Amino acid sequence: MTEATEVGSTSGPGRTAGSDVAFLTDFAALSAFGVTDRGGVHRETATDADAAQRAWFGRWLADRGFAVAYDRVGNQFGLLERTPGAPWVLVGSHLDSQPFAGRFDGAYGVLAAAHAADRLARRRGTGANLAVVNWLNEEGSRFEPSMMGSAVFAGGLDREAALDTRDGAGVRLGDRLAELGQLGDDDVLTLDDVAGYAEIHIEQGRELEDAGRTVGLVEATWAARKYDLTVTGEQSHTGSTVMADRRDALLGASELVVLARELTERLSTADSPLHTSVSRLTVAPNSPVTVAREVRMNLDLRSPDEDLLERADTLLHERIPAISEHARVEVGVSGSHAWGVRPFPAAGVALARRCAEDLGLSHRTMLTIAGHDSVNLNAHVPTIMLFVPSEQGISHNERESTADDDVCAGVDLLTAVLDRLAAGDPVR
């Protein structure tokens, strides 16, 4: 595991009051879409709230001279062609959210990207072309899998398969995007057009806050293994069915939930942590007087130590037969999705470090535990990933928050990074 490093003061120059106010005002406007009673947002992919914010963002871009377009999977682009024939530098994140989630996850990075590109457009008119992107369905809460739009763009997911995805109510993603007028006929950009990609995001942890650092320079992502599990039992009466005769799918699912936590307690160390979770259960028939016949669930293993992750994966599969036997159920494992520890280009981390130091921003080299659209881009184009702190490490929660000074410092850093990428500074 790579040790985090830190340097610098806790604040620095480089912003103007006007630019800060402009960003914070726009962020407040963006945060009104899908706002919840507790001050979070609820705007899953292709909901009315998501469609409305995308329309608002398109108008914001158009008003500042960007050409706005959707590609063939619904990724939203704002294009600023400064030098015809020059390569494009891409910058962005995602606007969709988890259910009843926070305002900052994804949306901060999209708006920061737009402000950074707009600032550069006002400074000079030459250099690489700039493209701001709002990736489709990063969260994967309504339509699976997550990071969908960037995966299609990067060639890791078939476009038609993505558009054929249906939500729990049977709504087809492609049909919904077409209905909203947010599905294009062209690619807009391809990987071959992109000279580099940058993304800024809230940390979603508390490493930066604990260390008193303003920005994080991401050098790699944790490894992960994700599974779709189906536990199959037999439907019966909750009262009259003899206990020995029951084949309770929910019992088997519950034992898998406990197993996931036991793996962490057994294998995790301070130097090689293991994060495990079961994030969703779909129970059938989900009736109050009926033993469940089926449970579908997602199980997630993550670690910066690939050997430890392999041991956890092995133990998981070794224990499943015993759970099946005890609960008298069948456990099916499908939909395996995995990636290893993926480093970001060292030259890109160094470039971001120079920018942070020029701005006087305290910084810390670190890993990302969560997946981001940058992970999909990183395998194909020079990619830089940046973090700003999350207060108390809270994320995917309506209480998610980041201080104004930190979000504004992050926009400054992203602007400086984007400026150097557009000028052709090497990232690899």
Side-chain angles (χ1 to χ4, degrees):
M1 178 179 175
T2 304
E3 293 285 342
T5 59
E6 56 192 62
V7 68
S9 62
T10 56
S11 63
R15 302 196 298 271
T16 66
S19 63
D20 281 4
V21 170
F23 179 81
L24 295 172
T25 300
D26 287 337
F27 188 71
L30 182 59
S31 299
F33 293 98
V35 66
T36 66
D37 292 342
R38 296 183 178 181
V41 295
H42 182 98
R43 49 192 192 208
E44 294 177 279
T45 295
T47 57
D48 289 344
D50 181 43
Q53 71 171 343
R54 292 178 121 212
W56 176 89
F57 185 58
R59 292 190 296 271
W60 190 99
L61 291 167
D63 288 347
R64 289 156 181 79
F66 291 81
V68 180
Y70 294 92
D71 70 8
R72 295 191 301 154
V73 76
N75 293 317
Q76 182 182 24
F77 292 88
L79 307 172
L80 194 63
E81 188 174 32
R82 306 194 300 171
T83 307
W88 292 83
V89 173
L90 191 59
V91 58
S93 191
H94 63 96
L95 289 179
D96 68 309
S97 83
Q98 291 286 335
F100 299 98
R103 298 174 293 145
F104 293 84
D105 180 1
Y108 164 66
V110 174
L111 192 62
H115 271 257
D118 185 51
R119 289 182 191 180
L120 292 190
R122 295 172 186 274
R123 289 182 190 174
R124 65 188 189 195
T126 59
N129 299 315
L130 304 176
V132 177
V133 61
N134 164 28
W135 297 111
L136 177 85
N137 191 39
E138 193 272 351
E139 294 293 358
S141 57
R142 182 183 180 192
F143 299 95
E144 295 184 70
S146 60
M147 302 187 290
M148 180 183 285
S150 59
V152 172
F153 184 85
L157 178 64
D158 179 73
R159 180 179 65 88
E160 289 301 326
L163 294 176
D164 280 340
T165 304
R166 295 179 184 271
D167 68 6
V171 176
R172 181 178 177 272
L173 176 59
D175 294 340
R176 177 59 175 158
L177 291 172
E179 175 188 345
L180 296 170
Q182 296 181 348
L183 183 63
D185 298 322
D186 300 313
D187 286 334
V188 182
L189 292 178
T190 68
L191 282 174
D192 291 339
D193 299 319
V194 178
Y197 175 69
E199 180 172 345
I200 195 165
H201 205 279
I202 58 169
E203 180 193 344
Q204 302 179 283
R206 53 183 173 85
E207 187 175 329
L208 286 174
E209 184 178 68
D210 288 350
R213 303 294 128 180
T214 304
V215 293
L217 316 177
V218 181
E219 61 180 357
T221 182
W222 279 26
R225 300 195 184 188
K226 298 184 176 185
Y227 296 102
D228 296 326
L229 304 179
T230 301
V231 184
T232 305
E234 185 175 23
Q235 188 168 319
S236 59
H237 196 291
T238 58
S240 60
T241 305
V242 174
M243 295 301 293
D245 293 343
R246 299 188 186 203
R247 300 180 58 226
D248 188 345
L250 190 54
L251 173 61
S254 299
E255 293 186 14
L256 287 166
V257 173
V258 173
L259 171 59
R261 187 56 175 260
E262 287 177 347
L263 291 175
T264 291
E265 294 171 352
R266 176 175 174 179
L267 298 177
S268 190
T269 68
D271 293 331
S272 296
L274 173 68
H275 288 190
T276 64
S277 64
V278 173
S279 55
R280 178 166 62 181
L281 298 175
T282 303
V283 182
N286 205 28
S287 172
V289 195
T290 305
V291 171
R293 68 173 180 270
E294 181 184 88
V295 177
R296 295 181 179 271
M297 57 197 296
N298 304 101
L299 193 148
D300 187 322
L301 309 175
R302 303 188 193 213
S303 178
D305 184 332
E306 293 191 52
D307 290 338
L308 181 145
L309 191 64
E310 179 66 29
R311 293 199 300 276
D313 184 82
T314 298
L315 283 172
L316 170 68
H317 285 83
E318 287 178 351
R319 290 282 299 277
I320 285 177
I323 290 173
S324 297
E325 181 178 0
H326 178 257
R328 302 180 68 240
V329 297
E330 297 177 0
V331 179
V333 182
S334 64
S336 177
H337 181 47
W339 61 82
V341 173
R342 294 180 178 176
F344 286 86
V349 177
L351 184 153
R353 182 182 296 110
R354 292 194 298 272
C355 291
E357 291 172 352
D358 288 346
L359 291 168
L361 299 175
S362 61
H363 55 81
R364 184 175 179 87
T365 304
M366 58 194 302
L367 307 183
T368 176
I369 302 173
H372 300 286
D373 293 304
S374 63
V375 175
N376 285 329
L377 274 290
N378 186 35
H380 303 281
V381 301
T383 298
I384 295 175
M385 184 75 195
L386 308 169
F387 280 161
V388 292
S390 294
E391 294 184 1
Q392 300 178 57
I394 295 171
S395 188
H396 286 186
N397 183 303
E398 291 163 296
R399 294 191 295 117
E400 178 183 273
S401 186
T402 296
D404 287 352
D405 282 350
D406 289 335
V407 298
C408 292
V411 179
D412 288 347
L413 177 59
L414 184 63
T415 303
V417 167
L418 186 60
D419 191 17
R420 294 198 180 189
L421 287 176
D425 281 23
V427 177
R428 280 185 176 165

